[in-house]
Amino acid sequence: MPLICFASPKGGVGKTTLAANVADAMRRQGRRVLVMDFDPQNTLRLHFGVPLSDTSGFMTELPKRPDWRELVRQTSSGVMLLPHGSIDIRGALGLAHALERDPELLAAPLRGILADPNLLVIADTPPGASHSLNILAPMSAMVCAVLLADATSAALVPDIDNGRFLGAGTMAALFAGRLRVVLNGVDPNTRLSRAAAETVARHLGPRLLGAICREEIVAEALAAQRLVLDIAPNSQAAEDLREIARGIEAALPSVPEPFNTGWGAR
């Protein structure tokens, strides 16, 4: 405990990159960190140097009700990793159906993980609305939504307050109060990027955790299967990541306690 969910209204915004690098930054601040991949793309592992040939993971094994401890990867960064595991479209649809039918399939092991009071859990969820996010959000201390500094994000401002941009329905309203936002790919040399960032920042106020500048080193780190703070600790992107991590630390005491879903009473 606590659980921080990284989410996004659509793919391609750098959500997984931020989840991995913020997990690393939080570990460097002295936290014991477990990062979990709930996205079927199974790419979170690449940031931590897990070999491409290593295709097993927690979510693909979930129907077998595995012991999560046996699937943890101890990475060189010091961050513990639970990969999603490789899965095809048919398997992903089957897993989604299983979670819809029985949320306890995921909720039960997650409660066990969160029972450790000294463990910070960071979850990388699929883009948009998902069964995983619906299960995780009520158990989370914070939902960190990642937006690009572009016209689309500026247009989403009216829906940020109620959480609709991450999915319709009552679940969005439940976690809107614990929602925080990170703007990614801010280019100070581009008028549109600056204007979008200013619009979102003005609307969100303290709910905006921070912004990550657009730098090639972020993509280069992923290509090298390494973390930004490892290969470019003095870059602006690295400082932005540290600032996001400090913002999460500062916000955690003030966000609501996780909801009691009632699942534990079954």
Side-chain angles (χ1 to χ4, degrees):
M1 184 71 96
L3 169 65
I4 310 296
C5 290
F6 275 76
S8 64
K10 62 185 183 68
V13 301
K15 168 186 57 65
T16 297
T17 297
L18 282 180
N21 283 281
V22 168
D24 179 50
M26 300 292 285
R27 197 277 308 167
R28 291 169 186 262
Q29 289 181 176
R31 285 276 192 172
R32 185 165 156 260
V33 180
L34 171 68
V35 62
M36 303 178 67
D37 192 354
F38 294 92
D39 191 333
Q41 294 182 80
N42 195 34
T43 56
L44 184 63
R45 62 189 173 129
L46 301 181
H47 295 273
F48 295 95
V50 175
L52 289 173
S53 58
D54 186 347
T55 59
S56 64
F58 175 66
M59 290 299 287
T60 54
E61 295 292 320
L62 196 60
K64 302 176 184 177
R65 303 182 186 274
D67 182 346
W68 64 272
R69 297 170 188 84
E70 296 179 357
L71 297 169
V72 169
R73 309 300 195 274
Q74 301 289 344
T75 73
S76 59
S77 69
V79 174
M80 294 177 287
L81 168 68
L82 270 177
H84 182 284
S86 296
I87 195 169
D88 58 20
I89 293 295
R90 187 173 183 176
L93 291 173
L95 180 58
H97 179 67
L99 290 176
E100 182 180 21
R101 186 177 62 251
D102 183 14
E104 273 293 294
L105 188 64
L106 174 57
L110 191 59
R111 280 197 301 272
I113 294 171
L114 295 177
D116 186 340
N118 298 314
L119 185 65
L120 172 69
V121 181
I122 292 180
D124 179 33
T125 67
S130 68
H131 296 303
S132 295
L133 183 58
N134 283 346
I135 295 167
L136 295 170
M139 306 174 78
S140 68
M142 181 187 298
V143 175
C144 182
V146 181
L147 302 175
L148 285 179
D150 60 10
T152 300
S153 295
L156 284 171
V157 163
D159 279 343
I160 288 176
D161 285 329
N162 53 33
R164 279 198 305 264
F165 73 121
L166 288 176
T170 57
M171 186 56 65
L174 285 176
F175 68 75
R178 66 194 61 198
L179 183 67
R180 302 292 186 273
V181 175
V182 172
L183 276 178
N184 195 25
V186 178
D187 186 349
N189 298 314
T190 302
R191 184 174 64 179
L192 179 59
S193 181
R194 289 199 315 271
E198 290 168 1
T199 297
V200 175
R202 185 166 54 249
H203 179 81
L204 291 176
R207 290 170 297 170
L208 180 65
L209 279 174
I212 309 292
C213 73
R214 184 174 183 177
E215 273 194 309
E216 289 299 317
I217 193 61
V218 177
E220 291 170 9
L222 174 56
Q225 294 191 35
R226 298 181 63 189
L227 296 157
V228 173
L229 291 172
D230 273 338
I231 69 172
N234 298 319
S235 65
Q236 182 58 54
E239 181 52 38
D240 292 343
L241 287 164
R242 284 188 284 262
E243 185 64 26
I244 297 297
R246 289 192 289 266
I248 290 175
E249 284 284 5
L252 281 178
S254 63
V255 297
E257 289 296 317
F259 290 110
N260 180 358
T261 63
W263 290 331
R266 292 187 181 183

